[in-house]
Coordinates of all heavy atoms in Angstrom, one line a residue:
M1 N 83.7 176.5 173.0 CA 83.4 175.9 174.3 C 82.0 175.9 174.5 O 81.4 177.0 174.3 CB 84.2 176.7 175.4 CG 84.0 176.1 176.8 SD 84.7 177.1 178.0 CE 86.4 176.7 177.7
P2 N 81.4 174.7 174.9 CA 80.0 174.9 175.3 C 79.6 176.0 176.3 O 80.4 176.2 177.2 CB 79.6 173.4 175.8 CG 80.7 172.6 175.2 CD 81.9 173.6 175.1
L3 N 78.5 176.6 176.2 CA 78.0 177.6 177.1 C 78.1 177.2 178.5 O 78.6 178.0 179.4 CB 76.8 178.2 176.7 CG 76.3 179.5 177.5 CD1 77.2 180.6 177.5 CD2 74.9 179.9 177.1
D4 N 77.6 176.0 178.8 CA 77.5 175.6 180.3 C 78.9 175.5 180.9 O 79.1 175.8 182.1 CB 76.7 174.3 180.4 CG 77.2 173.1 179.5 OD1 77.8 173.4 178.5 OD2 77.1 171.9 180.1
L5 N 79.8 175.1 180.1 CA 81.3 174.9 180.5 C 81.8 176.2 180.8 O 82.5 176.6 181.8 CB 82.2 174.1 179.7 CG 81.9 172.6 179.5 CD1 82.8 172.0 178.5 CD2 82.0 171.9 180.9
E6 N 81.5 177.1 179.9 CA 82.1 178.6 180.1 C 81.5 179.2 181.4 O 82.1 180.0 182.1 CB 81.9 179.4 178.9 CG 82.5 180.7 179.0 CD 82.8 181.5 177.6 OE1 82.7 180.8 176.7 OE2 82.8 182.6 177.7
E7 N 80.2 179.0 181.6 CA 79.5 179.5 182.7 C 80.2 179.0 184.0 O 80.3 179.7 185.1 CB 78.0 179.2 182.7 CG 77.3 180.1 181.7 CD 75.9 179.7 181.5 OE1 75.3 178.7 182.1 OE2 75.2 180.3 180.7
K8 N 80.5 177.6 183.9 CA 81.1 177.0 185.2 C 82.5 177.5 185.3 O 83.0 177.7 186.5 CB 81.1 175.5 185.1 CG 81.6 174.9 186.3 CD 81.4 173.4 186.4 CE 82.0 172.7 187.5 NZ 81.9 171.3 187.6
Y9 N 83.3 177.4 184.3 CA 84.9 177.5 184.5 C 85.3 178.9 184.0 O 86.4 179.3 184.2 CB 85.6 176.6 183.6 CG 85.2 175.2 184.1 CD1 84.6 174.2 183.2 CD2 85.7 174.6 185.3 CE1 84.4 173.0 183.6 CE2 85.5 173.3 185.7 CZ 84.8 172.5 184.9 OH 84.5 171.3 185.4
G10 N 84.5 179.7 183.4 CA 84.8 181.0 183.0 C 85.4 181.0 181.7 O 85.7 180.0 181.1
P11 N 85.6 182.1 181.0 CA 86.1 182.3 179.7 C 87.7 182.1 179.6 O 88.4 182.0 180.6 CB 86.0 183.8 179.3 CG 85.9 184.5 180.6 CD 85.2 183.6 181.6
M12 N 88.1 181.6 178.5 CA 89.5 181.2 178.2 C 90.4 182.6 178.4 O 91.6 182.5 178.8 CB 89.7 180.6 177.0 CG 89.1 179.2 177.0 SD 89.5 178.2 175.4 CE 90.5 179.2 174.3
L13 N 89.7 183.7 178.0 CA 90.5 184.9 178.2 C 89.6 186.0 178.9 O 88.5 186.0 178.8 CB 90.9 185.5 176.8 CG 91.9 184.6 175.9 CD1 92.0 185.1 174.6 CD2 93.2 184.4 176.6
D14 N 90.3 186.8 179.6 CA 89.4 187.8 180.3 C 89.2 189.2 179.5 O 89.5 189.0 178.2 CB 90.3 188.3 181.6 CG 91.6 189.0 181.4 OD1 91.7 189.5 180.3 OD2 92.3 189.3 182.3
K15 N 88.6 190.2 180.0 CA 88.1 191.2 179.1 C 89.3 191.9 178.5 O 89.1 192.7 177.5 CB 87.4 192.2 180.1 CG 88.1 192.9 181.1 CD 87.2 193.8 182.1 CE 88.1 194.3 183.2 NZ 87.2 195.0 184.0
N16 N 90.5 191.8 178.9 CA 91.8 192.3 178.4 C 92.4 191.4 177.5 O 93.7 191.5 177.2 CB 92.7 192.8 179.5 CG 92.1 193.9 180.4 OD1 91.5 194.8 179.9 ND2 92.2 193.7 181.8
N17 N 91.8 190.3 177.1 CA 92.3 189.3 176.3 C 93.5 188.5 176.9 O 94.4 188.1 176.2 CB 92.7 189.8 174.9 CG 92.5 188.9 173.9 OD1 91.7 187.9 173.8 ND2 93.3 189.1 172.8
Q18 N 93.5 188.4 178.2 CA 94.6 187.8 178.9 C 94.1 186.6 179.6 O 92.9 186.5 179.8 CB 95.2 188.7 180.0 CG 95.8 190.1 179.5 CD 97.0 189.8 178.7 OE1 97.9 189.0 179.0 NE2 97.1 190.5 177.5
L19 N 94.9 185.7 180.1 CA 94.5 184.6 180.9 C 94.0 185.0 182.2 O 94.5 185.7 182.7 CB 95.7 183.6 181.2 CG 96.1 182.9 179.9 CD1 97.4 182.0 180.3 CD2 95.2 182.0 179.2
P20 N 92.8 184.5 182.5 CA 92.2 185.1 183.8 C 93.0 184.7 185.0 O 93.6 183.6 185.1 CB 90.8 184.4 183.8 CG 90.8 183.1 183.0 CD 92.0 183.5 181.9
Q21 N 92.9 185.5 186.1 CA 93.6 185.1 187.2 C 92.6 184.5 188.1 O 91.4 184.8 188.2 CB 94.0 186.4 188.0 CG 95.2 187.3 187.4 CD 96.3 186.5 187.1 OE1 96.8 185.9 188.2 NE2 96.9 186.4 186.0
L22 N 93.0 183.3 188.7 CA 92.1 182.6 189.6 C 92.4 182.9 191.0 O 93.5 182.5 191.6 CB 92.3 181.1 189.3 CG 92.1 180.6 187.9 CD1 92.5 179.2 187.7 CD2 90.6 180.9 187.6
K23 N 91.6 183.6 191.7 CA 91.8 183.9 193.1 C 90.6 183.3 193.9 O 89.4 183.3 193.5 CB 91.7 185.5 193.2 CG 92.8 186.2 192.5 CD 92.8 187.6 192.6 CE 94.0 188.2 191.8 NZ 93.9 189.6 191.8
G24 N 91.1 182.9 195.1 CA 90.0 182.4 196.0 C 89.4 180.9 195.7 O 88.4 180.6 196.1
I25 N 90.2 180.2 194.8 CA 90.0 178.9 194.5 C 90.9 178.0 195.0 O 92.1 178.2 194.6 CB 89.8 178.8 192.9 CG1 88.7 179.7 192.4 CG2 89.4 177.3 192.6 CD1 88.6 179.6 190.8
S26 N 90.5 176.9 195.7 CA 91.4 176.0 196.4 C 91.9 175.1 195.3 O 91.5 174.8 194.2 CB 90.7 175.2 197.5 OG 89.8 174.4 196.9
L27 N 93.1 174.5 195.7 CA 93.7 173.5 194.8 C 92.9 172.3 194.7 O 92.7 171.7 193.4 CB 95.2 173.1 195.5 CG 95.9 171.8 194.8 CD1 96.2 172.4 193.4 CD2 97.2 171.5 195.5
G28 N 92.2 171.9 195.7 CA 91.2 170.8 195.6 C 90.2 171.0 194.6 O 89.9 170.1 193.8
V29 N 89.6 172.2 194.5 CA 88.6 172.6 193.5 C 89.2 172.6 192.2 O 88.5 172.0 191.2 CB 87.9 173.9 193.9 CG1 87.0 174.4 192.8 CG2 87.1 173.8 195.2
L30 N 90.4 173.2 192.1 CA 91.0 173.1 190.7 C 91.3 171.8 190.2 O 91.1 171.4 189.0 CB 92.2 174.0 190.7 CG 92.1 175.4 190.9 CD1 93.5 176.0 191.0 CD2 91.5 176.1 189.7
L31 N 91.8 170.9 191.0 CA 92.0 169.6 190.7 C 90.8 168.8 190.2 O 90.8 168.0 189.3 CB 92.9 168.8 191.7 CG 94.3 169.3 191.8 CD1 95.0 168.6 193.0 CD2 95.1 169.3 190.5
N32 N 89.7 168.9 191.1 CA 88.6 168.4 190.8 C 87.8 168.8 189.4 O 87.4 168.0 188.7 CB 87.4 168.4 192.0 CG 87.7 167.6 193.1 OD1 88.5 166.4 192.9 ND2 87.3 168.1 194.3
D33 N 88.0 170.0 189.3 CA 87.4 170.6 187.9 C 88.2 170.1 186.8 O 87.6 169.7 185.8 CB 87.5 172.2 188.0 CG 86.3 172.7 188.8 OD1 85.4 172.0 189.3 OD2 86.5 174.0 189.0
Y34 N 89.5 170.0 186.9 CA 90.5 169.4 185.9 C 90.0 167.9 185.6 O 89.9 167.7 184.5 CB 91.9 169.5 186.4 CG 92.8 168.8 185.5 CD1 93.4 169.5 184.4 CD2 93.2 167.6 185.7 CE1 94.3 168.8 183.4 CE2 94.2 166.9 184.8 CZ 94.7 167.5 183.7 OH 95.5 166.8 182.8
D35 N 89.9 167.1 186.7 CA 89.4 165.8 186.4 C 88.0 165.6 185.7 O 87.8 164.9 185.0 CB 89.4 165.1 187.8 CG 90.7 164.7 188.3 OD1 91.7 164.6 187.6 OD2 90.9 164.5 189.5
D36 N 87.1 166.6 186.2 CA 85.8 166.5 185.5 C 86.0 166.8 184.0 O 85.3 166.1 183.1 CB 84.9 167.6 186.1 CG 84.5 167.2 187.6 OD1 84.7 166.1 188.0 OD2 84.0 168.3 188.1
V37 N 86.7 167.9 183.7 CA 86.9 168.1 182.1 C 87.5 166.9 181.5 O 87.0 166.5 180.4 CB 87.8 169.3 181.9 CG1 88.1 169.5 180.5 CG2 87.0 170.6 182.5
I38 N 88.6 166.3 182.0 CA 89.3 165.2 181.4 C 88.3 164.1 181.3 O 88.2 163.4 180.2 CB 90.5 164.8 182.2 CG1 91.6 165.8 182.1 CG2 91.0 163.4 181.6 CD1 92.1 166.2 180.8
N39 N 87.6 163.8 182.3 CA 86.6 162.6 182.3 C 85.5 163.0 181.4 O 84.8 161.9 180.8 CB 86.0 162.4 183.7 CG 87.1 161.8 184.6 OD1 87.9 161.0 184.1 ND2 87.1 162.0 185.9
M40 N 85.3 164.1 181.0 CA 84.1 164.4 180.0 C 84.8 164.2 178.6 O 84.1 163.8 177.7 CB 83.7 165.9 180.2 CG 82.7 166.3 179.2 SD 82.3 168.1 179.3 CE 83.8 168.8 179.2
I41 N 86.0 164.6 178.3 CA 86.5 164.3 177.1 C 87.0 162.9 176.7 O 86.7 162.5 175.6 CB 87.8 165.3 177.0 CG1 87.5 166.7 177.1 CG2 88.6 165.1 175.7 CD1 88.6 167.8 177.2
K42 N 87.4 162.2 177.6 CA 87.9 160.8 177.4 C 86.9 160.0 176.7 O 87.2 159.5 175.6 CB 88.4 160.1 178.7 CG 89.7 160.0 178.9 CD 89.9 159.2 180.1 CE 91.5 159.4 180.5 NZ 91.6 158.7 181.9
P43 N 85.7 159.8 177.2 CA 84.8 159.0 176.5 C 84.5 159.5 175.1 O 84.3 158.5 174.2 CB 83.4 159.0 177.4 CG 84.0 159.6 178.6 CD 85.1 160.3 178.4
L44 N 84.4 160.6 174.8 CA 84.3 161.1 173.4 C 85.4 160.7 172.6 O 85.2 160.3 171.4 CB 84.1 162.7 173.5 CG 82.9 163.4 174.3 CD1 83.1 164.7 174.3 CD2 81.8 162.8 173.7
C45 N 86.6 160.8 173.0 CA 87.8 160.4 172.3 C 87.7 158.9 172.0 O 88.1 158.4 170.8 CB 89.1 160.8 173.1 SG 89.4 162.6 173.1
Y46 N 87.3 158.2 172.9 CA 87.3 156.7 172.7 C 86.3 156.2 171.5 O 86.4 155.2 170.9 CB 86.9 155.9 174.0 CG 88.1 155.8 174.9 CD1 88.0 156.2 176.3 CD2 89.3 155.3 174.5 CE1 89.2 156.2 177.1 CE2 90.5 155.1 175.3 CZ 90.4 155.5 176.6 OH 91.4 155.4 177.4
Q47 N 85.3 157.0 171.3 CA 84.4 156.8 170.4 C 84.7 157.1 168.9 O 84.1 156.6 168.0 CB 83.0 157.5 170.6 CG 82.3 157.3 172.0 CD 81.0 158.2 172.3 OE1 80.6 158.8 171.4 NE2 80.7 158.1 173.4
L48 N 85.9 157.8 168.8 CA 86.3 158.2 167.5 C 86.9 157.0 166.8 O 87.6 156.2 167.2 CB 87.3 159.3 167.6 CG 86.7 160.7 168.1 CD1 88.0 161.6 168.4 CD2 85.8 161.2 167.2
T49 N 86.6 156.9 165.4 CA 87.2 156.0 164.5 C 88.5 156.5 164.0 O 88.8 157.7 164.1 CB 86.3 155.7 163.5 OG1 86.2 156.8 162.6 CG2 84.9 155.2 164.0
D50 N 89.3 155.5 163.4 CA 90.6 156.0 162.8 C 90.3 157.1 161.6 O 91.1 158.0 161.6 CB 91.4 154.8 162.2 CG 92.0 154.0 163.4 OD1 92.1 154.4 164.5 OD2 92.3 152.8 163.0
K51 N 89.3 156.9 161.0 CA 89.0 157.8 159.8 C 88.6 159.1 160.5 O 89.1 160.1 160.0 CB 87.8 157.2 159.0 CG 87.4 158.0 157.9 CD 86.2 157.4 157.2 CE 85.9 158.3 156.0 NZ 84.8 157.8 155.1
Q52 N 87.8 159.2 161.5 CA 87.5 160.5 162.2 C 88.7 161.1 162.8 O 88.8 162.3 162.7 CB 86.5 160.2 163.3 CG 85.1 159.9 162.7 CD 84.2 159.3 163.7 OE1 84.5 158.7 164.7 NE2 82.8 159.8 163.6
L53 N 89.6 160.3 163.4 CA 90.8 160.8 164.0 C 91.8 161.5 162.9 O 92.4 162.5 163.2 CB 91.6 159.8 164.5 CG 91.2 159.3 166.0 CD1 92.0 158.0 166.3 CD2 91.2 160.4 167.0
N54 N 91.7 161.1 161.7 CA 92.4 161.8 160.6 C 91.8 162.8 159.8 O 92.2 163.4 158.8 CB 92.9 160.7 159.7 CG 93.9 159.7 160.2 OD1 94.9 160.2 160.9 ND2 93.8 158.4 160.1
Q55 N 90.5 163.1 160.3 CA 89.7 164.1 159.7 C 90.3 165.6 160.0 O 90.7 165.8 161.1 CB 88.3 164.1 160.2 CG 87.4 165.2 159.6 CD 85.9 165.1 160.3 OE1 85.6 164.0 160.8 NE2 85.2 166.3 160.1
L56 N 90.3 166.4 158.9 CA 90.9 167.7 159.2 C 89.8 168.7 159.7 O 88.7 168.6 159.2 CB 91.4 168.3 157.8 CG 92.8 167.8 157.3 CD1 93.1 168.3 155.9 CD2 94.0 168.1 158.2
V57 N 90.1 169.6 160.6 CA 89.2 170.4 161.1 C 89.8 171.8 161.2 O 91.2 171.8 161.2 CB 88.7 170.0 162.6 CG1 87.8 168.7 162.5 CG2 89.8 169.9 163.5
G58 N 89.1 172.9 161.3 CA 89.6 174.2 161.2 C 90.3 174.5 162.6 O 89.9 173.9 163.7
Y59 N 91.4 175.2 162.4 CA 92.2 175.5 163.6 C 92.7 177.0 163.7 O 92.2 177.7 162.8 CB 93.5 174.6 163.6 CG 94.4 174.8 164.8 CD1 93.9 174.4 166.1 CD2 95.8 175.0 164.7 CE1 94.7 174.4 167.2 CE2 96.6 175.1 165.8 CZ 96.1 174.8 167.0 OH 96.9 174.9 168.2
K60 N 93.5 177.4 164.3 CA 93.9 178.8 164.5 C 94.2 179.4 163.1 O 94.9 178.9 162.3 CB 95.1 179.0 165.3 CG 94.9 178.9 166.8 CD 96.1 179.4 167.6 CE 96.6 178.4 168.5 NZ 97.8 178.9 169.2
N61 N 93.8 180.7 162.9 CA 94.3 181.5 161.9 C 94.0 180.9 160.5 O 94.8 180.9 159.5 CB 95.8 182.0 162.0 CG 96.0 182.6 163.2 OD1 95.1 183.4 163.7 ND2 97.1 182.3 163.9
G62 N 92.9 180.2 160.5 CA 92.6 179.5 159.0 C 93.4 178.3 158.8 O 93.2 177.8 157.6
N63 N 94.1 177.8 159.7 CA 94.9 176.5 159.4 C 94.0 175.3 159.7 O 92.9 175.6 160.3 CB 96.1 176.5 160.3 CG 97.2 177.6 159.9 OD1 97.3 177.8 158.7 ND2 97.7 178.2 160.9
E64 N 94.6 174.2 159.4 CA 93.8 173.0 159.6 C 94.6 172.0 160.4 O 95.9 172.0 160.2 CB 93.2 172.2 158.3 CG 92.2 173.0 157.6 CD 91.7 172.4 156.4 OE1 92.5 171.6 155.7 OE2 90.5 172.4 156.1
A65 N 94.0 171.1 161.1 CA 94.8 170.1 161.8 C 93.9 168.9 161.9 O 92.6 169.0 161.8 CB 95.2 170.6 163.2
T66 N 94.5 167.7 162.1 CA 93.6 166.6 162.3 C 93.1 166.4 163.8 O 93.7 167.0 164.6 CB 94.5 165.2 162.0 OG1 95.5 165.0 163.0 CG2 95.0 165.1 160.6
I67 N 92.1 165.7 164.0 CA 91.5 165.5 165.2 C 92.6 164.7 166.1 O 92.8 165.1 167.3 CB 90.2 164.8 165.3 CG1 89.2 165.6 164.6 CG2 89.7 164.4 166.7 CD1 87.8 164.9 164.3
K68 N 93.3 163.9 165.5 CA 94.3 163.1 166.3 C 95.5 164.0 166.7 O 95.9 164.0 167.9 CB 95.0 162.1 165.4 CG 96.0 161.1 165.9 CD 96.8 160.4 165.0 CE 95.9 159.3 164.4 NZ 96.6 158.5 163.4
W69 N 95.9 165.1 165.9 CA 96.8 166.0 166.4 C 96.3 166.8 167.5 O 97.0 167.1 168.4 CB 97.2 166.9 165.2 CG 98.2 167.9 165.6 CD1 99.6 167.8 165.6 CD2 98.0 169.2 166.2 NE1 100.2 168.9 166.2 CE2 99.1 169.9 166.5 CE3 96.8 170.0 166.4 CZ2 99.2 171.1 167.1 CZ3 96.9 171.2 167.0 CH2 98.0 171.9 167.3
G70 N 94.9 167.2 167.5 CA 94.3 168.0 168.5 C 94.4 167.2 169.8 O 94.8 167.8 171.0
I71 N 94.2 165.9 169.9 CA 94.3 165.1 171.0 C 95.7 165.0 171.5 O 96.0 165.3 172.7 CB 93.6 163.7 170.8 CG1 92.2 163.9 170.6 CG2 94.1 162.8 172.0 CD1 91.6 162.5 170.0
W72 N 96.6 164.8 170.7 CA 98.0 164.8 171.1 C 98.4 166.2 171.6 O 99.1 166.3 172.5 CB 98.9 164.5 169.8 CG 100.4 164.7 170.1 CD1 101.2 163.8 170.7 CD2 101.2 166.0 169.9 NE1 102.3 164.3 170.8 CE2 102.5 165.6 170.4 CE3 100.8 167.1 169.3 CZ2 103.4 166.5 170.3 CZ3 101.8 168.1 169.4 CH2 103.1 167.8 169.8
H73 N 97.9 167.2 171.0 CA 98.4 168.6 171.5 C 97.9 168.8 172.9 O 98.6 169.4 173.6 CB 97.7 169.6 170.5 CG 98.0 171.0 170.8 ND1 99.4 171.6 170.7 CD2 97.3 172.0 171.3 CE1 99.3 172.8 171.1 NE2 98.1 173.1 171.4
I74 N 96.5 168.4 173.1 CA 96.1 168.6 174.5 C 97.1 167.8 175.5 O 97.4 168.4 176.5 CB 94.7 167.9 174.7 CG1 93.8 169.0 173.9 CG2 94.3 168.0 176.0 CD1 92.4 168.4 173.7
A75 N 97.4 166.6 175.2 CA 98.3 165.9 176.1 C 99.8 166.6 176.2 O 100.3 166.6 177.3 CB 98.5 164.4 175.5
D76 N 100.2 167.0 175.0 CA 101.5 167.6 175.1 C 101.5 168.9 175.9 O 102.5 169.1 176.5 CB 102.1 167.9 173.7 CG 103.4 168.3 173.6 OD1 104.3 167.7 174.2 OD2 103.6 169.4 173.0
H77 N 100.5 169.6 175.7 CA 100.3 170.9 176.4 C 100.2 170.7 178.0 O 100.8 171.4 178.7 CB 99.0 171.6 176.0 CG 99.0 173.1 176.4 ND1 99.8 174.0 175.7 CD2 98.3 173.8 177.3 CE1 99.6 175.2 176.1 NE2 98.6 175.0 177.2
N78 N 99.5 169.6 178.3 CA 99.4 169.3 179.7 C 100.8 168.8 180.3 O 101.1 169.2 181.3 CB 98.5 168.0 179.9 CG 98.3 167.7 181.2 OD1 98.3 168.5 182.2 ND2 97.9 166.5 181.5
R79 N 101.5 168.1 179.5 CA 102.9 167.7 179.9 C 103.8 169.0 180.1 O 104.5 169.1 181.1 CB 103.6 166.7 178.9 CG 104.9 166.3 179.1 CD 105.8 166.0 177.8 NE 105.7 166.9 176.9 CZ 106.5 168.0 176.8 NH1 107.3 168.2 177.7 NH2 106.3 168.8 175.8
Y80 N 103.7 169.8 179.2 CA 104.4 171.2 179.2 C 104.2 171.7 180.5 O 105.1 172.3 181.2 CB 104.0 171.9 177.9 CG 104.6 173.3 178.0 CD1 105.8 173.5 177.5 CD2 103.7 174.4 178.2 CE1 106.4 174.8 177.4 CE2 104.2 175.7 178.2 CZ 105.4 176.0 177.7 OH 106.0 177.2 177.5
H81 N 102.8 171.9 180.9 CA 102.6 172.6 182.2 C 102.8 171.9 183.4 O 103.3 172.4 184.4 CB 101.1 173.1 182.2 CG 100.8 174.1 181.3 ND1 101.3 175.4 181.4 CD2 99.9 174.2 180.3 CE1 100.9 176.3 180.5 NE2 100.0 175.5 179.8
Q82 N 102.9 170.5 183.3 CA 103.3 169.7 184.5 C 104.7 170.0 184.7 O 105.3 169.9 185.8 CB 103.0 168.3 184.0 CG 101.6 167.9 184.2 CD 101.0 168.0 185.4 OE1 101.4 168.0 186.5 NE2 99.7 168.5 185.5
A83 N 105.6 170.1 183.7 CA 107.0 170.4 183.8 C 107.1 171.7 184.5 O 108.0 171.8 185.4 CB 107.7 170.4 182.4
H84 N 106.4 172.8 184.2 CA 106.4 174.0 184.9 C 106.1 173.8 186.3 O 106.7 174.5 187.2 CB 105.4 175.0 184.2 CG 105.9 175.5 183.0 ND1 105.2 176.0 182.0 CD2 107.2 175.8 182.5 CE1 105.8 176.4 181.1 NE2 107.0 176.3 181.3
I85 N 105.0 173.1 186.6 CA 104.6 173.0 188.1 C 105.8 172.3 188.8 O 106.1 172.6 189.9 CB 103.4 172.0 188.2 CG1 102.2 172.9 187.5 CG2 103.1 171.6 189.5 CD1 100.9 172.2 187.3
S86 N 106.4 171.1 188.2 CA 107.5 170.5 188.8 C 108.7 171.5 189.1 O 109.2 171.4 190.1 CB 107.9 169.3 188.1 OG 109.1 168.6 188.4
Q87 N 108.9 172.3 188.2 CA 110.0 173.1 188.3 C 109.7 174.3 189.6 O 110.6 174.6 190.5 CB 110.3 174.0 187.1 CG 111.6 175.0 187.3 CD 112.9 174.2 187.7 OE1 113.3 173.3 187.1 NE2 113.5 174.6 188.8
L88 N 108.5 174.8 189.6 CA 108.1 175.7 190.7 C 108.2 174.9 192.1 O 108.5 175.7 193.0 CB 106.7 176.1 190.3 CG 106.4 177.1 189.2 CD1 104.9 177.3 188.9 CD2 107.2 178.6 189.5
R89 N 107.7 173.7 192.1 CA 107.9 173.0 193.4 C 109.3 173.0 193.8 O 109.8 173.1 195.0 CB 107.4 171.6 193.2 CG 105.8 171.6 193.2 CD 105.4 170.2 193.1 NE 103.9 170.0 193.3 CZ 103.1 169.1 192.7 NH1 103.7 168.0 192.1 NH2 101.9 169.1 192.9
K90 N 110.2 172.7 192.8 CA 111.7 172.6 193.3 C 112.1 174.0 193.7 O 113.0 174.0 194.8 CB 112.5 172.2 191.9 CG 112.3 170.7 191.6 CD 113.1 170.3 190.5 CE 112.9 168.9 189.9 NZ 113.6 168.7 188.6
W91 N 111.8 174.9 193.1 CA 112.2 176.3 193.4 C 111.7 176.6 194.9 O 112.4 177.2 195.8 CB 111.8 177.5 192.5 CG 112.6 177.4 191.2 CD1 113.9 176.8 190.9 CD2 112.2 177.9 189.9 NE1 114.2 177.1 189.6 CE2 113.1 177.7 189.0 CE3 111.0 178.6 189.4 CZ2 113.1 178.2 187.7 CZ3 110.9 179.0 188.2 CH2 111.9 178.8 187.2
F92 N 110.3 176.3 195.0 CA 109.8 176.7 196.4 C 110.3 175.8 197.6 O 110.4 176.3 198.6 CB 108.2 176.8 196.4 CG 107.8 178.0 195.6 CD1 107.1 177.9 194.5 CD2 107.8 179.1 196.3 CE1 106.7 178.9 193.8 CE2 107.3 180.3 195.7 CZ 106.7 180.2 194.5
S93 N 110.7 174.6 197.3 CA 111.3 173.7 198.4 C 112.6 174.1 198.6 O 113.1 173.8 199.8 CB 111.2 172.2 197.8 OG 112.2 172.2 196.8
Q94 N 113.3 175.0 197.8 CA 114.6 175.3 198.2 C 114.7 176.6 199.0 O 115.6 177.0 199.6 CB 115.5 175.6 196.9 CG 115.7 174.3 196.1 CD 116.3 174.6 194.7 OE1 116.5 175.6 194.4 NE2 116.5 173.5 193.9
S95 N 113.6 177.3 199.0 CA 113.6 178.6 199.8 C 113.2 178.4 201.2 O 112.8 177.5 201.7 CB 112.7 179.5 199.0 OG 111.4 179.1 198.7

């Protein structure tokens, strides 16, 4: 992660190697930050050629994946969390 992004959004993991807790940050700020990151990534993705999309890059634990898979993985991970948010909304609306 570029240093300027880590300074703005914080590290991916806290000092205990856990996901950081976000306290005192409004939903509006979170959504704007999310949009900023997506809007930063999108133009970079559109510049990639088919050959570049199929390029292998290093991934977790010494594995490799294509850039195309990485983009798909980001989208799939987002969908996964959207499903969690949807379920939480249903639970809270019933209480």
Side-chain angles (χ1 to χ4, degrees):
M1 176 182 293
L3 184 58
D4 58 330
L5 289 180
E6 188 164 335
E7 287 173 358
K8 180 174 181 178
Y9 300 111
M12 290 185 1
L13 300 173
D14 66 16
K15 63 184 178 189
N16 298 316
N17 212 29
Q18 300 293 315
L19 293 175
Q21 295 297 310
L22 301 176
K23 295 179 183 176
I25 300 174
S26 71
L27 177 60
V29 169
L30 288 174
L31 292 176
N32 284 332
D33 286 350
Y34 174 83
D35 287 341
D36 289 347
V37 171
I38 294 299
N39 289 330
M40 179 183 56
I41 294 171
K42 253 187 198 180
L44 298 173
C45 293
Y46 282 124
Q47 293 175 18
L48 296 170
T49 65
D50 287 342
K51 184 177 180 181
Q52 290 169 321
L53 286 170
N54 291 314
Q55 179 182 339
L56 288 173
V57 293
Y59 187 58
K60 287 194 233 179
N61 303 323
N63 293 317
E64 293 182 322
T66 64
I67 294 172
K68 184 188 295 185
W69 179 87
I71 294 169
W72 172 85
H73 181 69
I74 291 169
D76 186 57
H77 197 78
N78 185 30
R79 178 203 52 80
Y80 174 80
H81 286 297
Q82 291 297 325
H84 283 152
I85 291 167
S86 178
Q87 184 61 52
L88 287 169
R89 283 183 174 155
K90 287 178 187 174
W91 287 338
F92 282 109
S93 69
Q94 294 171 358
S95 53

